[in-house]
Amino acid sequence: MEKIRIYHIDQNEDALKLIKQFSQRAPRLHIISSSTSLEEGFEEIQRIFPDIVLIDENVAGGNLAPIIQKIILHSPYLGVIVTCTEYSKGKIRQYMNAGARDCLVKPFTATDLAQSVMKVNKYNQELKNHIVRSTTRILTRAPKMISIFSTKGGVGKSTVSTLLAAGLASLYKEDTAIIDLDLQFGDVSLLLDLKPQKTITNAIESIGQLSSSDLRSIMTRHHIGLHVLPSPLNPEEEDFITEEATLKMFKLAKEEFDYVIIDGPPGFNTQNIIALEQSDLVLLITSPELMALKNTKNGLRTLTELGIDQDQIKVVVNRYSKKSNISISLIEDVLGLEVFATISNDYPSVIKFLNQGEPQLIYDGNGKISKDLRAIIEGLRTYHTVPAQKGKANLFQWLMQKVQK
């Protein structure tokens, strides 16, 4: 069962630690991040999409209701739970009228917190499900497994894979794994400055006995929270990695993590084809060079022959500069497909952070490449159109039924 993602805002550091301890006693509760600052917290909420916001009245100087309204206005599918130090019918009514789903009066127990979160989350899930049936627009979870693919080496595929995975884990607090499927020349662990004890070979050897949590334990954890399954230490180990075992590994990874990033080798080997077929999305990396575009066009044809829907393929032009002789419109004409995103040509910044093994630091600045990478991640986490179903009660009727219960 999926964990309930909670964001906590409280000026009291001890309160933040206590709630973190409480959450560890409840299997479904997961504090994805917290802050003592209302401004920082509001900015993070817009970025990481928690299920629940737990907010203490001390962050707003006695004027919390407008803050609740602002949170709900920007993120209408969030469940807001207020914590306060004393029981006051007037204040609680004010918070609930502003959009809060529940109020917890301190001191409360771990059980009180779990019950409140479960109740509010259940209500929100019912609300979302009804909106799916009665409207055409809802925020859904983004693709879980994303293959970062290129038809030739040298276009920066592994760098893009590592930077996106690092951004998802550090900036957006998503439970993210990256699997290095370049079984002979993989370098993800090198880019992250990791010295793994176990690799994909260890996972494959015991895949029949592994649970999804066992797979997590085999991975190497970077300090930003990113989990890495490195390529084999010896290239000849590739021969032991079978199709059946690879499929099982992907299944377990998708069960365990919010996002699974696959960094495969250039081209179409057996494992890469399996990854492409199992992926919810394929980011096709190319660069503004004639040879790269020629190979990318051939790759697109092969992807189509493999049965990959064009809607699943997103073209990303790496190392792009507006001064390039090859424009985006020309690239789109050559490929016959719209360019999903570009990544600015800023090699000095990229190599600086990769040499440190700290790719997440690239998101700290306001440079072009930081903005480009954020745009790609946010483009993968946006609203998706959902067809309305006829013959269902409307949203107002459903809400009235809930109020009358």
Side-chain angles (χ1 to χ4, degrees):
M1 189 170 288
E2 285 192 8
K3 295 200 175 213
I4 301 170
R5 295 156 48 86
I6 304 167
Y7 191 92
H8 187 198
I9 309 175
D10 195 313
Q11 284 186 341
N12 189 320
E13 292 277 5
D14 291 335
L16 296 179
K17 293 176 184 176
L18 181 63
I19 294 298
K20 183 80 171 176
Q21 292 171 5
F22 281 177
S23 71
Q24 291 168 353
R25 302 178 196 174
R28 288 202 62 199
L29 272 57
H30 176 43
I31 305 292
I32 52 173
S33 191
S34 61
S35 179
T36 57
S37 163
L38 181 60
E39 291 75 17
E40 179 186 64
F42 184 76
E43 190 273 332
E44 276 205 301
I45 288 167
Q46 311 313 306
R47 190 173 67 238
I48 65 181
F49 297 146
D51 300 308
I52 301 289
V53 172
L54 186 67
I55 184 169
D56 194 88
E57 62 181 0
N58 64 22
V59 301
N63 196 25
L64 185 60
I67 303 302
I68 297 171
Q69 291 175 331
K70 184 178 179 182
I71 291 172
I72 297 297
L73 180 65
H74 285 82
S75 306
Y77 303 109
L78 286 182
V80 176
I81 300 174
V82 176
T83 59
C84 49
T85 53
E86 60 180 28
Y87 179 81
S88 166
K89 279 188 178 180
K91 281 201 301 184
I92 290 176
R93 185 182 302 112
Q94 188 181 40
Y95 298 152
M96 300 295 277
N97 287 340
R101 297 297 183 201
D102 200 7
C103 291
L104 290 171
V105 180
K106 297 176 178 178
F108 51 85
T109 66
T111 301
D112 295 332
L113 175 66
Q115 289 177 345
S116 177
V117 169
M118 297 290 283
K119 178 183 72 174
V120 171
N121 188 67
K122 181 181 178 183
Y123 176 90
N124 272 17
Q125 290 304 315
E126 290 178 357
L127 178 62
K128 286 181 183 179
N129 291 339
H130 188 84
I131 292 174
V132 170
R133 295 193 296 267
S134 59
T135 68
T136 59
R137 198 165 170 81
I138 186 170
L139 180 65
T140 62
R141 295 299 294 167
K144 286 186 71 79
M145 182 163 149
I146 304 172
S147 278
I148 314 297
F149 176 73
S150 67
T151 52
K152 70 179 288 291
V155 297
K157 172 187 57 62
S158 293
T159 299
V160 172
S161 300
T162 305
L163 292 173
L164 290 178
L168 281 165
S170 64
L171 191 66
Y172 293 86
K173 311 300 181 187
E174 297 284 5
D175 194 8
T176 305
I178 181 169
I179 298 176
D180 194 341
L181 207 62
D182 191 340
L183 303 178
Q184 291 192 329
F185 304 107
D187 50 17
V188 169
S189 56
L190 178 65
L191 294 173
L192 290 164
D193 193 27
L194 295 175
K195 297 175 177 59
Q197 299 299 311
K198 296 181 179 180
T199 71
I200 193 171
T201 306
N202 299 97
I204 294 297
E205 285 175 343
S206 54
I207 198 68
Q209 291 77 46
L210 290 185
S211 66
S212 60
S213 59
D214 292 333
L215 181 63
R216 179 189 289 267
S217 68
I218 288 174
M219 294 182 177
T220 301
R221 186 182 185 277
H222 192 277
H223 70 84
I224 60 174
L226 175 63
H227 285 77
V228 182
L229 190 59
S231 59
L233 297 177
N234 301 309
E236 59 268 22
E237 293 175 16
E238 177 183 14
D239 297 336
F240 300 104
I241 299 175
T242 65
E243 295 180 33
E244 182 181 357
T246 302
L247 277 168
K248 172 70 172 174
M249 177 182 67
F250 290 154
K251 180 176 181 294
L252 293 176
K254 291 171 79 171
E255 289 173 2
E256 183 69 10
F257 294 95
D258 293 335
Y259 288 86
V260 180
I261 304 297
I262 307 296
D263 180 38
F268 295 93
N269 69 3
T270 301
Q271 280 75 25
N272 223 12
I273 290 173
I274 295 171
L276 291 166
E277 291 176 338
Q278 295 299 310
S279 292
D280 301 286
L281 200 67
V282 176
L283 291 191
L284 180 55
I285 311 298
T286 189
S287 59
E289 303 159 0
L290 289 177
M291 287 302 296
L293 293 174
K294 169 184 169 292
N295 289 326
T296 301
K297 185 175 179 65
N298 291 336
L300 275 170
R301 186 184 309 114
T302 304
L303 288 170
T304 302
E305 291 170 356
L306 289 171
I308 310 296
D309 195 300
Q310 272 208 353
D311 290 340
Q312 292 176 256
I313 304 169
K314 305 295 182 185
V315 175
V316 176
V317 181
N318 192 28
R319 302 170 185 161
Y320 178 72
S321 170
K322 290 182 179 179
K323 297 178 181 178
S324 172
N325 293 328
I326 300 179
S327 65
I328 293 299
S329 59
L330 177 59
I331 292 172
E332 291 177 336
D333 287 343
V334 170
L335 300 181
L337 197 65
E338 183 179 349
V339 169
F340 172 69
T342 61
I343 300 176
S344 299
N345 189 10
D346 189 2
Y347 181 77
S349 294
V350 172
I351 202 66
K352 172 186 174 184
F353 296 123
L354 290 180
N355 282 343
Q356 298 174 22
E358 303 289 351
Q360 77 283 357
L361 295 179
I362 203 164
Y363 293 94
D364 289 348
N366 292 314
K368 288 183 179 180
I369 194 165
S370 173
K371 293 177 181 178
D372 293 341
L373 292 166
R374 285 173 184 251
I376 292 174
I377 294 174
E378 290 170 6
L380 304 176
R381 308 169 75 244
T382 52
Y383 284 86
H384 299 271
T385 300
V386 178
Q389 296 184 17
K390 297 180 180 179
K392 303 291 183 181
N394 64 36
L395 181 59
F396 176 77
Q397 292 172 335
W398 181 84
L399 288 171
M400 289 303 295
Q401 291 170 4
K402 300 298 289 185
V403 170
Q404 292 166 4
K405 284 185 178 180

